[in-house]
Amino acid sequence: MAPYPNGFLSYAVAIHLKSPHLQMEESLRQGAGYWNALSSREKNQYRSKYQKRCLSKSSTSRHRRQSEKLKHMGCGRKKIVPKCSRKPTTPACKPRSVNRCPRKSSSNRSSRECMLMKSPKGMATDVKFNESLGCSDPQTHPVLIIGQLRHLNLLKFSHLESKLSPRVTEETFLNAVACLHPAPTDKVSLYLDVATVAALPLKASRHNTASRAHAITRLVKNHVLNVSEESVVLVCERENLFASACAVVRAFPLYSRKTGNLLASSQPKLNLGCGDGNANSGRNVVNVEFVLINKDGCIESEPLTDDELNCLNETTRAIRMTARIVDMPCNEMNVDHFIQEVEDVGRELCITPKVIRGEELLEQGFGGIYGVGKAAAVPPALVVLSHEPKGAQETIALVGKGIVYDTGGLSIKAKTGMPGMKRDCGGAAAILGTFYAAVQCGFRDNLHAVFCLAENSVGPNATRPDDIHTLYSGRTVEINNTDAEGRLVLADGVCYANKDLKANIILDMATLTGAQGVATGKYHGAILTNSETWEAKSLQAGRKSGDLLAPIIYCPELHFSEFASAIADMKNSVADRQNAQSSCAGLFIAAHLGFDYPGIWMHVDMATPVHCGERATGYGVSLLLTLFGGHTDSKLLQSIASTDEEPPSKRWCRD
């Protein structure tokens, strides 16, 4: 018997072989109860063990004999009543009835086995958004249904029948939903682990996203089966559509160098690593579909519009491209490679990037970028993509820190602190993804993406502590820590955005400080800005997009003295590392722009949320698209774009 991804059938056969005196129907009933009582980890361990055993046995093995037994196995006429997915001793769980499975012919069974077999390691995954629920049999196309419990309780079986019939009955579905007790999440198998309903956390605090995006990503990662085609159905309110969709996308990273998985890391670059969602493309397909609930608690019957589908597809491509760049090691994503990525995006958008490299940087006054990257084998660069449509009213510049690898320079990192520094280009990667998606969604104002690219390496030409560099602002900086390099390249980038691009809104994004994780945690990026109004907008955008933000202190009159130098305009690292370190790092950048800068300046430090475990999250793309969604032609982005919310301090003063 071929190894099934759900593992249930082989488990039931094992129960029967251990108790040959039991009828197959009774063995199946017991197997269902035992299987549903196992934890997800125990199920995965069993599947892995079973598949290895299957592959190691010859064609005359015990598993072949088990397959012969299955050919003669009938499901009987009585309904099988498995126990609920939690431990059988839980009194709150009600028994669920599962409809009997019809007797299959050998040919039908073989096609099912082929469909449900785990795809080879060489398969990547395409994420495809559908305008409405399609018709599919969970036996051949597994389905995972996710929603808040209050939304799942509003559903009738008829709303999901096209995804569950004929394997799941209405009684089974209703009993399963009644069994859900999320703490913080919960899931119940509806049919052999190929049809599952999962509940999101009951509550979301004011600093969390109402979409429960992080819980969605975890559920999808843990419960999709990685077969050739399957579905994820999201039950949510329309205002959470965008954040929920982005949460699913984050569960499917592209980059891998595992043996046999080279396809995932060598897809055509112009495709931006996302695929076309075609099941015939040789890759797995995950169909993402929605059941939308309006503010009155009624199920919406209208399918997604072409505008909404286009926005979701372009955002998907942007997030996955961003995560792929961050996941790639420096030997595959150095400055040359990153410039190639920018050129590929520019070619697709019919935009030619401006590139300033190597000694040209020094000649034109970019002492920050040049000083950081001059010791590397691949020279540093400043790269600019510009979208300038007719009738533009504002000029927005997005500046990204693109340190493709950070050894710390001569202030070298410890051996345990250096692994993972390939992610130090996370800010620039997010800016590239955002620029691509924003232009594709019809950005109406001037939009510039500025990439500050360098490798902070060690060599004969490396910057030394005590060296003094003159940055693009004209200000001099005494280097007292070569590992505080990100602020140097960003200072050049924001000054270029002001002087040359004449931007009136400048946002820089960077994996800038390890202290950010201490200040705002691993889920929330830090926002530092000279505008309280835009701080409120940014926080609102974080909650609506799922890329969360938390404010840090903006107080240059108290904190900038940390950079005092006796022989230069400033040092590049603080005197007291216990004094609002993330805020101070951002203020260094603002100082080169000028604290009297009349425009809007925002700094996003996302050193920790750029990754989850060992994989990149694509953080930043959905945040910026939501923040500036009002500047696009996309109705979906306009509907969730940040509004001119009254700043908290004004409300306090009035009250």
Side-chain angles (χ1 to χ4, degrees), residues 287-503:
N287 296 291
V288 184
E289 298 163 340
F290 295 89
V291 176
L292 296 178
I293 298 173
N294 61 29
K295 294 181 179 179
D296 298 326
C298 299
I299 308 299
E300 294 188 11
S301 57
E302 294 295 322
L304 298 186
T305 65
D306 290 341
D307 171 81
E308 290 170 331
L309 289 174
N310 177 69
C311 176
L312 293 178
N313 286 326
E314 299 300 350
T315 302
T316 295
R317 299 179 75 189
I319 291 174
R320 302 188 81 192
M321 174 182 65
T322 297
R324 174 176 59 80
I325 291 173
V326 175
D327 275 335
M328 294 178 76
C330 188
N331 63 323
E332 296 181 26
M333 188 51 64
N334 59 28
V335 173
D336 283 340
H337 298 124
F338 204 113
I339 293 175
Q340 185 62 52
E341 294 283 344
V342 175
E343 290 175 344
D344 288 341
V345 169
R347 190 177 302 113
E348 185 161 347
L349 300 176
C350 300
I351 298 172
T352 301
K354 179 178 182 179
V355 181
I356 305 173
R357 292 205 73 176
E359 297 301 320
E360 292 181 36
L361 290 169
L362 184 61
E363 294 169 4
Q364 296 187 34
F366 294 97
I369 300 175
Y370 179 80
V372 170
K374 65 180 181 176
V378 181
L382 178 79
V383 185
V384 184
L385 282 172
S386 296
H387 168 70
E388 297 175 302
K390 293 182 179 179
Q393 300 296 316
E394 289 188 293
T395 299
I396 300 170
L398 307 176
V399 184
K401 172 189 172 184
I403 302 298
V404 293
Y405 200 82
D406 182 17
T407 66
L410 291 182
S411 304
I412 197 164
K413 295 179 182 291
K415 64 179 181 180
T416 56
M418 202 180 298
M421 285 300 108
K422 64 179 182 179
R423 305 188 189 103
D424 218 14
C425 64
I431 296 303
L432 180 60
T434 300
F435 183 88
Y436 165 80
V439 174
Q440 292 288 56
C441 290
F443 205 84
R444 296 192 301 267
D445 288 314
N446 294 328
L447 181 65
H448 302 281
V450 182
F451 307 97
C452 307
L453 306 177
E455 179 183 349
N456 189 18
S457 190
V458 177
N461 294 327
T463 291
R464 297 165 290 265
D466 295 336
D467 283 358
I468 296 178
H469 294 305
T470 303
L471 273 57
Y472 196 62
S473 63
R475 293 177 172 86
T476 55
V477 177
E478 178 187 359
I479 306 300
N480 62 339
N481 181 4
T482 64
D483 196 20
E485 84 297 333
R487 63 199 68 181
L488 296 170
V489 301
L490 285 175
D492 278 352
V494 298
C495 285
Y496 179 84
N498 180 30
K499 287 183 177 181
D500 296 65
L501 302 178
K502 309 301 181 184

Side-chain angles (χ1 to χ4, degrees), residues 91-111:
C93 293
K94 300 177 182 178
R96 308 188 310 276
S97 62
V98 179
N99 60 310
R100 65 176 181 271
C101 50
R103 193 182 298 271
K104 292 281 184 181
S105 65
S106 297
S107 60
N108 288 342
R109 189 179 299 114
S110 297
S111 64

Side-chain angles (χ1 to χ4, degrees), residues 21 73 128 183 202 204 216 230 261 334 342 483 513 594:
H21 61 282
M73 182 181 72
K128 178 183 176 185
L202 294 174
I216 292 175
E230 57 190 312
N261 201 9
N334 59 28
V342 175
D483 196 20
T513 64

